Amino acid sequence: MKKLLYIKLIVALLVMGAGCTKFSDDINVDPSVPTKSSNAQLLTYALNQLPAVIEAPAGLLYVQHWSEKPYTDVSRYAVVNYDFYSIYTEALENLQAILNAGKYDINEGSANNQKAVARILKAWFFWHMTDRWGDVPYFNALKGKENFAAAYDRQKDIYYDLLKELKEAVAQIDNGNAITGDILYGGKMDNWKLFANSMRLLMALRLSKADAAKGKQEFVDALNAGVFTDNRQNAVYVHLADAANQSYWYYVVNVQNRPWYWASKTIIDYMKPLNDPRLKIFADKNGSGVYNGVPYGLDGNAVGAIPSSSVSFVGVHVRTQNSPTYVTTYAQVLLAIAEANKLNWLTGGDAEAKSKYEAAIQASIRQWNRLSFKTYDDTRDKQVEKVLYDAADSGDTTGLAAYLTQPEVAYNGAEALKKIANQRWLHLFMNGYEAWAEWRRTGFPVLTPAPDNGGTPIPRRQAYPVKEQNINGNNYRTAIAAQPGLGGKDDLNGRVWWDQ
């Protein structure tokens, strides 16, 4: 019996082997399962990754927009290594596939428009990555089997190339068919130009201390090329009121029932005395009907002893099922222009800086307070239109005039850079990594690290993924040694190139 089974097994293997050589590979393909995505699908998938990286909690905690309760490891800087693999393998691989496509379906947009948008988004993701980790694989990344172990490139070189990519991508956009699969702008190519130029403007300002001459040149060029001029042009990712497309923070709080992130005492104590019109969006009142933030960076036992009814949870309007994610906004651009005037990168001096500063605060308040009475249709295309239209001029500005006259807020030439930075910190609520990058660059607002934490400072970068030491060990070690700001250590305390 055993001999018979053995013979049958040998015959089966021979048949399988013959089948592998005699018949076409098509016989093993399931016709009901797609083997290739369209560029429109690849683009949509990449866009869907934007909120995942923007609203990650670490950045929000570093800049003390939020506090943790009850788990405080990130607030106390106990988490050191952060993974960048998903950004490479998901968003960036999809965008690179668009750029590598040999043929372009005209129904999905002209070839130039498809490639231009992919370049703009690719630049955004790499900008985000290099600001978190410093040097990263860039020029030889995304090569697939041609290069499984890409070398790390200097942040300076990455920045300069991204600035070039954004400028060339804008010039590449043509009058052909608009792109499809675009859940950010609904195929409006003029808005993609404004987004790319606005991004380049913000990137240029990041060089204010590392390479002011290059920063000024790129800033002026991007401004002249055309940037956002009102909230309707903001880059806004719109979630939907359904489980498949809902806000991550709605999922965490309402579905998983994990109320772990609370409004920080740092931000509430700053906003509350000023009667900041945005506070009602950023935080909920506590059980007694007042705003009271959670102290930042306490250990789990200490923060756990604080009754939840006594403190303010993160505002309901930023964690509803269809809350939008702000990628890049008009108020950011205005604040950047105000700072550029103060730095004498632009003419106009304090008078122009004051004008842009006050306009930025108004744009920010309109943008955020619109969330308190938003009404959306049930399709993403309609929602995108609704968010952009409503954000322009219908946001409640009650209290704006009084807010602008308060000494802590009112423009003052002697403290202009501080006040601009403080307002940027407030405006970038829910965009923690961008707020963290600007805090590192400017030093404002002045933040106190987590207490009773052995003197550990607020992080200046994030350490590379642990598995990179094995997967790409030689290049990893070379990168650590090559970055002067790291001091030979891969930790949270080293500084990226522009952080000077």
Side-chain angles (χ1 to χ4, degrees), residues 175-192:
N175 293 323
N177 287 357
I179 58 171
T180 60
D182 176 13
I183 58 175
L184 194 69
Y185 280 125
K188 292 180 172 61
M189 301 309 301
D190 285 344
N191 279 358
W192 278 101

Side-chain angles (χ1 to χ4, degrees), residues 12 49 151 193 227 322 344 380 386 400 405 469 484 495 500:
Q49 308 311 304
K193 292 180 181 180
V227 295
N322 62 345
N344 293 318
R380 178 166 266 129
K386 189 77 172 172
L400 171 63
T405 63
Q469 299 174 31
R495 297 191 177 219
Q500 301 180 14

Side-chain angles (χ1 to χ4, degrees), residues 82-212:
Y82 288 80
D83 200 334
F84 54 42
Y85 283 91
S86 62
I87 302 176
Y88 279 108
T89 60
E90 295 177 7
L92 287 172
E93 284 286 0
N94 278 263
L95 296 170
Q96 192 63 43
I98 296 173
L99 294 172
N100 291 344
K103 297 180 180 179
Y104 293 86
D105 184 347
I106 196 67
N107 295 313
E108 297 179 345
S110 70
N112 279 336
N113 287 341
Q114 291 184 52
K115 287 185 280 190
V117 168
R119 292 173 80 178
I120 293 167
L121 280 176
K122 181 180 174 183
W124 187 93
F125 281 103
F126 269 114
W127 179 31
H128 171 87
M129 290 174 63
T130 189
D131 280 354
R132 287 173 63 183
W133 287 280
D135 294 2
V136 294
Y138 175 70
F139 290 104
N140 288 305
L142 308 175
K143 301 291 187 182
K145 63 183 180 181
E146 294 179 15
N147 189 353
F148 287 131
Y152 287 62
D153 297 292
R154 296 191 308 167
Q155 185 179 53
K156 177 180 179 179
D157 297 335
I158 295 171
Y159 251 77
Y160 287 3
D161 195 69
L162 294 179
L163 292 166
K164 174 190 71 67
E165 280 292 298
L166 288 169
K167 184 172 183 177
E168 290 181 357
V170 169
Q172 189 174 19
I173 293 173
D174 61 28
N175 293 323
N177 287 357
I179 58 171
T180 60
D182 176 13
I183 58 175
L184 194 69
Y185 280 125
K188 292 180 172 61
M189 301 309 301
D190 285 344
N191 279 358
W192 278 101
K193 292 180 181 180
L194 297 174
F195 175 37
N197 291 331
S198 298
M199 194 193 317
R200 183 155 67 101
L201 182 103
L202 297 174
M203 288 185 66
L205 188 59
R206 198 83 95 233
L207 308 184
S208 62
K209 295 178 180 178
D211 191 343

Side-chain angles (χ1 to χ4, degrees), residues 83 108 186 235 246 314 348 377 455 468 489-490:
D83 200 334
E108 297 179 345
Q246 65 193 4
V314 171
D377 295 307
E468 187 74 349
K489 298 179 180 179
D490 183 22

Side-chain angles (χ1 to χ4, degrees), residues 427-439:
H427 175 70
L428 288 170
F429 190 76
M430 299 300 293
N431 194 342
Y433 278 124
E434 182 65 11
W436 177 50
E438 285 299 295
W439 172 81

Side-chain angles (χ1 to χ4, degrees), residues 83-395:
D83 200 334
F84 54 42
Y85 283 91
S86 62
I87 302 176
Y88 279 108
T89 60
E90 295 177 7
L92 287 172
E93 284 286 0
N94 278 263
L95 296 170
Q96 192 63 43
I98 296 173
L99 294 172
N100 291 344
K103 297 180 180 179
Y104 293 86
D105 184 347
I106 196 67
N107 295 313
E108 297 179 345
S110 70
N112 279 336
N113 287 341
Q114 291 184 52
K115 287 185 280 190
V117 168
R119 292 173 80 178
I120 293 167
L121 280 176
K122 181 180 174 183
W124 187 93
F125 281 103
F126 269 114
W127 179 31
H128 171 87
M129 290 174 63
T130 189
D131 280 354
R132 287 173 63 183
W133 287 280
D135 294 2
V136 294
Y138 175 70
F139 290 104
N140 288 305
L142 308 175
K143 301 291 187 182
K145 63 183 180 181
E146 294 179 15
N147 189 353
F148 287 131
Y152 287 62
D153 297 292
R154 296 191 308 167
Q155 185 179 53
K156 177 180 179 179
D157 297 335
I158 295 171
Y159 251 77
Y160 287 3
D161 195 69
L162 294 179
L163 292 166
K164 174 190 71 67
E165 280 292 298
L166 288 169
K167 184 172 183 177
E168 290 181 357
V170 169
Q172 189 174 19
I173 293 173
D174 61 28
N175 293 323
N177 287 357
I179 58 171
T180 60
D182 176 13
I183 58 175
L184 194 69
Y185 280 125
K188 292 180 172 61
M189 301 309 301
D190 285 344
N191 279 358
W192 278 101
K193 292 180 181 180
L194 297 174
F195 175 37
N197 291 331
S198 298
M199 194 193 317
R200 183 155 67 101
L201 182 103
L202 297 174
M203 288 185 66
L205 188 59
R206 198 83 95 233
L207 308 184
S208 62
K209 295 178 180 178
D211 191 343
K214 175 70 171 178
K216 178 181 178 180
Q217 174 193 346
E218 293 286 346
F219 190 99
V220 172
D221 192 62
L223 181 63
N224 290 337
V227 295
F228 295 150
T229 56
D230 66 49
N231 278 340
R232 283 174 291 190
Q233 298 156 349
N234 288 346
V236 185
Y237 180 95
V238 178
H239 293 100
L240 302 181
D242 65 63
N245 300 282
Q246 65 193 4
S247 161
Y248 173 71
W249 292 115
Y250 174 86
Y251 172 73
V252 169
V253 174
N254 295 79
V255 180
Q256 292 186 314
N257 192 28
R258 295 178 176 177
W260 296 346
Y261 302 99
W262 297 68
S264 172
K265 179 176 173 60
T266 306
I267 197 167
I268 285 185
D269 283 0
Y270 185 86
M271 299 178 78
K272 185 178 176 180
L274 301 173
N275 294 314
D276 194 306
R278 294 162 289 194
L279 181 55
K280 64 180 179 290
I281 303 297
F282 294 177
D284 290 343
K285 292 181 178 179
N286 67 6
S288 300
V290 298
Y291 295 106
N292 185 31
V294 172
Y296 177 78
L298 301 182
D299 66 37
N301 292 328
V303 79
I306 299 172
S308 294
S309 61
S310 71
V311 288
S312 293
F313 198 52
V314 171
V316 65
H317 299 297
V318 298
R319 54 180 173 82
T320 57
Q321 195 172 30
N322 62 345
S323 293
T325 296
Y326 295 107
V327 182
T328 303
T329 61
Y330 175 46
Q332 284 177 263
V333 168
L334 286 171
L335 289 167
I337 296 172
E339 183 174 341
N341 274 290
K342 187 61 184 174
L343 293 174
N344 293 318
W345 285 13
L346 303 172
T347 59
D350 279 320
E352 192 63 24
K354 179 178 183 293
S355 174
K356 293 297 188 292
Y357 170 78
E358 293 178 349
I361 295 173
Q362 179 176 349
S364 177
I365 289 173
R366 287 193 185 279
Q367 171 194 308
W368 283 112
N369 283 356
R370 184 64 189 87
L371 298 186
S372 65
F373 56 96
K374 65 186 181 187
T375 54
Y376 294 152
D377 295 307
D378 59 358
T379 66
R380 178 166 266 129
D381 286 345
K382 290 180 180 178
Q383 279 195 322
V384 170
E385 291 290 341
K386 189 77 172 172
V387 168
L388 297 178
Y389 176 77
D390 286 344
D393 53 17
S394 60

